[in-house]
Amino acid sequence: MTQAINSTQALYRCLPAMDSLLLIPQVMSFIDQQGKPWVKSLLAQMLQDARQQIAKNQSLPSWCLDSSHVAEELAGRIVCAQRQSMTPVINLTGTILHTNLGRSQMCEAAIAAVTGVMRSPVPLEFDMGQGKRGHRDSAISALIHELTGADSCCIVNNNAAAVLLMLAATSAGKEVIVSRGELVEIGGAFRIPDIMAQAGCKLVEVGCTNRTHLKDYAAAISENTAAIMKVHTSNYHISGFTKATEEAELAALCKARGIALISDLGSGALTDLSRFGLSKEPMPQQMLKDGVNLVSFSGDKLLGGPQAGLVVGDAELIAKLQAHPLKRALRCDKMTLAALEATLMQYRNPEALDTQLPIFRKLSRSKAELEQLAHHLVAACTPFHPLFEVRSQASQTQVGSGSQPDVLLDSVSVCFTAKPESQLSLQQLDSHFKAAEIPIIGRITANQLWLDLRGSDNDQQLARVLTQVGKTVAAMSLGGCQ
Ligand SMILES: *Cc1c(COP(=O)(O)O)cnc(C)c1O
């Protein structure tokens, strides 16, 4: 039929009218289920796409030729549009805390807690008989006190927000002293000098990139100084001829001069991580003991909880943060607070963290265990063999999100190399992995596609999805279409 129509104008005349599409019985039943405005906008898009196809290729899409194909095309578009963009994926990129993949996976206790508060009202800021209307961070404050010894805490959306609020509430209109070795960029638009400006503080830089001494700080203190800020250089490492001034020394100086000592710790850990093969992170509880007044850190970095920023420390300063107008703009909702509370409770038993928190479960898996998994998965990968060589190879996993930049954990990857006769490229294989029922996200480097197994949290599921993708690829090698 399309061959008979040879002028573009004639093709345009073949396009059905919207009114007639809306009268097709199957379309009417979609309207009953989904509502007319949305179905009509999908049909309008189909007509628009058809016009483009005529203009570009002088042809008609097949649905224009038969009303039963209209319903089929519409059904396909409805399914596509209803697919949620935030569906689970399997992160085998070799970076455990991947900011672009949402950082932490929650522990089961946090999942249960969030599910509960989603369904019901909760006493977030409500007097339950203790005689006062608590603020929304009070429940967590008590837990933070138990775990870190901090007098009080303030919880906001992320650590960037925590730093902004900490500066605005303690130092707006005044000077804040920072070492030149700590003027970090965390990624995106988070740069210490910019955050200072946003908080209305005047940055006073002291020392040099590699060395800053106590006397540098002392000389910079004026009657306008509100605070000294330490920034944890969590995402890079300077070595060689270096000197940073310790918190305890700075605390004594700040106390003597009547100013605050605040610290942006970022990837804070509440427990010694050397048992998971990680290097020792500075811990908020140690900083408070050393005399730091306020410490801020992320909920979704090494804590393994939801995205959140925690500021812990002196009650008087925390009260200023709680009373600041920015707190209202940056505060967390009940779901985040429930997930954070459940995550923090796991820290009452640090020995069990590697079974409870997904991040430590992944980081603490032995290489032997991963090798065994790789062996099993490679054996299940025979369907790929016509097109790809599949073998296990040693690799290294990084923690990610700027945490522990120097630490690389031994790992094992399943690696795919395209055979010379393969009609599929590694990029196309990667697309197949990403189109799987549960997308698998790997990494292409050195002419191989790597699936780093330290990221797996459900090995059976991974084996199942891998086999499914293998079948799709095998069908293609037999000349299947797509
Ligand atoms: C990660 C980090 C931030 C930003 O924290 P987010 O939770 O990503 O907002 C700020 N400062 C330091 C030192 C960090 O490590």
Side-chain angles (χ1 to χ4, degrees):
M1 177 173 179
T2 41
Q3 282 159 354
I5 304 167
N6 49 19
S7 94
T8 307
Q9 283 311 317
L11 286 172
Y12 281 123
R13 279 196 297 277
C14 283
L15 288 179
M18 177 62 87
D19 287 344
S20 67
L21 291 176
L22 291 171
L23 290 174
I24 298 170
Q26 291 131 306
V27 171
M28 286 167 76
S29 79
F30 281 126
I31 289 176
D32 281 346
Q33 294 156 20
Q34 312 286 345
K36 189 166 175 183
W38 189 49
V39 171
K40 206 174 158 185
S41 76
L42 290 172
L43 291 168
Q45 190 59 53
M46 281 163 57
L47 287 168
Q48 179 62 25
D49 292 349
R51 277 185 217 101
Q52 275 179 3
Q53 184 172 331
I54 294 171
K56 221 172 134 199
N57 306 330
Q58 287 75 50
S59 68
L60 278 176
S62 61
W63 66 263
C64 292
L65 308 174
D66 181 337
S67 66
S68 71
H69 291 166
V70 171
E72 238 171 66
E73 174 73 19
L74 181 61
R77 289 184 182 228
I78 288 174
V79 169
C80 261
Q82 284 176 334
R83 198 172 291 148
Q84 281 204 277
S85 58
M86 282 215 260
T87 57
V89 302
I90 304 173
N91 169 14
L92 305 183
T93 57
T95 302
I96 298 290
L97 286 177
H98 202 300
T99 300
N100 297 351
L101 295 175
R103 290 196 186 161
S104 278
Q105 257 171 268
M106 299 299 111
C107 60
E108 289 304 318
I111 294 163
V114 175
T115 311
V117 303
M118 282 201 291
R119 283 212 185 89
S120 310
V122 290
L124 184 62
E125 304 182 337
F126 194 81
D127 174 19
M128 294 295 281
Q130 296 98 332
K132 60 172 187 178
R133 181 176 177 269
H135 66 64
R136 60 179 57 205
D137 304 335
S138 342
I140 290 184
S141 248
L143 196 49
I144 284 284
H145 176 73
E146 184 188 318
L147 296 170
T148 68
D151 291 341
S152 193
C153 79
C154 179
I155 320 276
V156 287
N157 255 313
N158 47 39
N159 187 51
V163 178
L164 177 68
L165 178 59
M166 191 161 66
L167 286 167
T170 63
S171 311
K174 296 219 161 163
E175 293 173 2
V176 178
I177 303 170
V178 185
S179 159
R180 289 201 172 86
E182 298 175 5
L183 292 174
V184 303
E185 172 179 310
I186 299 299
F190 188 91
R191 288 173 155 198
I192 292 296
D194 298 340
I195 295 283
M196 284 272 181
Q198 288 295 325
C201 307
K202 182 164 185 288
L203 168 64
V204 176
E205 301 175 21
V206 295
C208 292
T209 306
N210 57 334
R211 290 171 75 87
T212 303
H213 305 272
L214 185 64
K215 62 177 192 290
D216 298 326
Y217 287 101
I221 298 175
S222 76
E223 68 273 19
N224 288 324
T225 306
I228 287 177
M229 177 156 90
K230 286 284 285 176
V231 183
H232 179 40
T233 54
S234 54
N235 59 358
Y236 68 97
H237 189 232
I238 302 186
S239 59
F241 184 56
T242 63
K243 158 112 184 125
T245 309
E246 296 299 326
E247 276 75 6
E249 286 179 283
L250 283 174
L253 173 67
C254 289
K255 196 160 181 219
R257 305 290 288 270
I259 60 174
L261 178 58
I262 61 184
S263 170
D264 171 15
L265 176 57
S267 53
L270 288 182
T271 181
D272 180 358
L273 299 176
S274 47
R275 71 171 77 102
F276 303 119
L278 301 180
S279 53
K280 220 171 159 180
E281 275 290 290
M283 294 195 271
Q285 54 269 50
Q286 185 57 47
M287 291 194 161
L288 296 174
K289 267 198 205 121
D290 289 343
V292 178
N293 302 110
L294 293 177
V295 183
S296 81
F297 54 101
S298 277
D300 55 354
K301 288 189 186 170
L302 292 176
L303 202 60
Q307 178 188 302
L310 295 87
V311 187
V312 307
D314 293 359
E316 210 176 300
L317 290 175
I318 293 286
K320 279 193 184 174
L321 270 64
Q322 289 289 1
H324 195 280
L326 267 181
K327 170 67 200 311
R328 174 61 196 246
L330 303 175
R331 71 184 188 182
C332 295
D333 73 331
K334 62 178 181 176
M335 290 188 278
T336 301
L337 291 173
L340 186 59
E341 186 180 28
T343 305
L344 286 168
M345 281 184 183
Q346 308 305 315
Y347 282 83
R348 285 173 166 159
N349 183 9
E351 296 297 326
L353 284 176
D354 58 345
T355 58
Q356 299 304 317
L357 293 189
I359 176 175
F360 297 124
R361 197 155 61 221
K362 291 177 179 184
L363 294 178
S364 64
R365 279 184 97 170
S366 72
K367 196 173 175 203
E369 197 185 337
L370 294 175
E371 266 162 1
Q372 206 182 347
L373 173 62
H375 184 74
H376 172 69
L377 293 176
V378 168
C381 279
T382 43
F384 290 94
H385 283 180
L387 303 181
F388 296 93
E389 258 173 53
V390 188
R391 60 174 173 269
S392 80
Q393 242 171 280
S395 59
Q396 289 185 311
T397 312
Q398 56 181 2
V399 180
S401 288
S403 305
Q404 307 245 334
D406 299 332
V407 176
L408 290 171
L409 295 157
D410 282 338
S411 184
V412 184
S413 290
V414 174
C415 292
F416 295 77
T417 320
K419 292 191 173 167
E421 68 274 21
S422 172
Q423 62 269 50
L424 268 193
S425 67
L426 283 181
Q427 276 74 17
Q428 285 168 317
L429 177 64
D430 188 48
S431 300
H432 281 289
F433 279 129
K434 286 181 178 146
E437 170 204 346
I438 304 172
I440 296 177
I441 318 284
R443 184 169 49 98
I444 297 177
T445 185
N447 269 327
Q448 297 195 91
L449 192 150
W450 301 67
L451 304 179
D452 185 323
L453 300 182
R454 193 171 283 288
S456 171
D457 199 36
N458 182 339
D459 299 344
Q460 275 163 9
Q461 181 193 63
L462 172 59
R464 193 169 53 74
V465 180
L466 208 53
T467 313
Q468 272 171 12
V469 177
K471 282 185 188 149
T472 315
V473 168
M476 297 185 63
S477 75
L478 295 173
C481 64
Q482 205 181 44

